[in-house]
Structure formats: structure tokens, C-alpha cells
Amino acid sequence: MGSIECDARDAQEDYTLWFSNRLYTWYVTYPAVWEYIYNTTKSTAGKPWPVDTSKFLEPTVQGGFRRCIAAEQPDLVLSVHPILQCIPLANFMPKRPPRPIPFLTCVTDLGDGHPWWFNEAADGLFVPTERIKDQALERGVKPERVSVVGLPLRQGFWEVDVSANNKARMRERLGVGAGGRKVVLLMGGGDGMGKLQKMVSALSQV
């Protein structure tokens, strides 16, 4: 296999015009707004315009995606966000393979995938679990285009020493877990997450 040059680009934030490029960053900071949008778009996905919000938002994002493709000139596009699924395929590339630039999707939801992930026109779909694969098939993605591969991990996480001795050494090095206390790692998304203090307080009561 030859070498691969991989560049990560945020087509919406870096190439889409204001205010569309700030919209996602704004509403994810408000849990109630995010919950409403997430649940609403799940129930309307696949319905005609303008009920399906993805179709309603296409005009605000497609220009940015076009500018991104023109600037980067990729040989392949790998999308890792549900928003950038139907929009590029509907507005930039032919709906069915083969197409000039192959379009692949890597689903990063573990338990329940938002319907926007599952675009049957994508050339390939990488999913983390069999459950997510089943959801993709229910949404019309052909079985031969779906691969269960787990979540993508940085190479440093591929082989981790989980022995008791190494755990003790790391706890001592980090200054945590003294006196046999349990250690919990709380993580959020790339844009962070709110109410961390409340979550920590709730976990401490478990």
C-alpha cells in the first residue's frame, strides 16, 4: 500500500459563510436546544423538504463544501459528522457510485446513530458496532457498503498495558487514587460539554 496524506478539515466552520458556520457551535452549548434539535431531526429525517431539516439547511452549507473541495482537491472524502452526509452528495457529487471523488462515512456514535449518518448514496460506511450496522441497513444502506470496524483510535491507544502493576505506577505518577479510591475518567466531545461539575458530583455519589 502506498503512502496516504490525510488532512482534517471542518468544511462547515472553515469554509461556510457566517452565520451558518457558527450555528452548530452555538446550539451545542445549550443542552435543551441541542436535545430538541437532535430529537426533532431524528423524527423528520427522510421526509420531504422543508420538513427534513437537512434539506432545509443544504443551501447554507453546500457552498462551503464546494469551496472546501476546490481548495483541498482530495482524492477521497471521509466524513465523520452526520451533518456532512446528504448535503455534499446531493449538491456536489452524483448520487450514485461511481463518482469522481469517492465519499466514505465513519460513524462515531456508539449506541444509537442519528439517521443523518446513514446515506445510502455513500460509497462506503464504517460503523463501530453491529447495532449501528443494523440501523444503517434499516435506513437503506446496502450490506456490502457497511463495514463494522470499531471506533478509530490513535495508534498510541492500540496497545495499552492494563496490568495492576502499571495501573499502580500510573496512579502514583498522576497523584490519583490514593487510599484505594476509584478513579473515573470523564470525557466530552471535540467542542467540550457542559455541566461537568454536576456530573462529577453525581458520579462521586455512586
Side-chain angles (χ1 to χ4, degrees), residues 35-148:
E35 180 182 15
Y36 174 78
I37 292 175
Y38 184 86
N39 291 330
T40 300
T41 53
K42 281 187 70 175
S43 64
T44 60
K47 295 183 178 181
W49 185 95
V51 178
D52 185 346
T53 315
S54 67
K55 297 180 176 66
F56 179 76
L57 291 175
E58 281 174 4
T60 69
V61 180
Q62 63 176 321
F65 188 83
R66 287 178 180 273
R67 284 187 286 273
C68 180
I69 294 297
E72 303 298 332
Q73 293 291 305
D75 297 304
L76 180 147
V77 175
L78 175 64
S79 176
V80 295
H81 200 284
I83 288 179
L84 288 177
Q85 299 300 320
C86 52
I87 292 170
L89 287 171
N91 294 281
F92 180 77
M93 304 173 182
K95 286 185 175 293
R96 298 291 179 184
R99 54 175 54 91
I101 304 174
F103 187 94
L104 305 175
T105 298
C106 179
V107 180
T108 56
D109 287 343
L110 273 172
D112 183 54
H114 191 284
W116 286 0
W117 278 117
F118 310 125
N119 193 321
E120 60 182 306
D123 296 282
L125 190 70
F126 301 110
V127 300
T129 64
E130 290 290 341
R131 179 177 178 181
I132 299 294
K133 177 181 178 179
D134 291 340
Q135 293 177 6
L137 299 181
E138 290 172 2
R139 285 282 170 176
V141 182
K142 293 183 178 180
E144 62 269 22
R145 294 186 189 164
V146 185
S147 301
V148 181

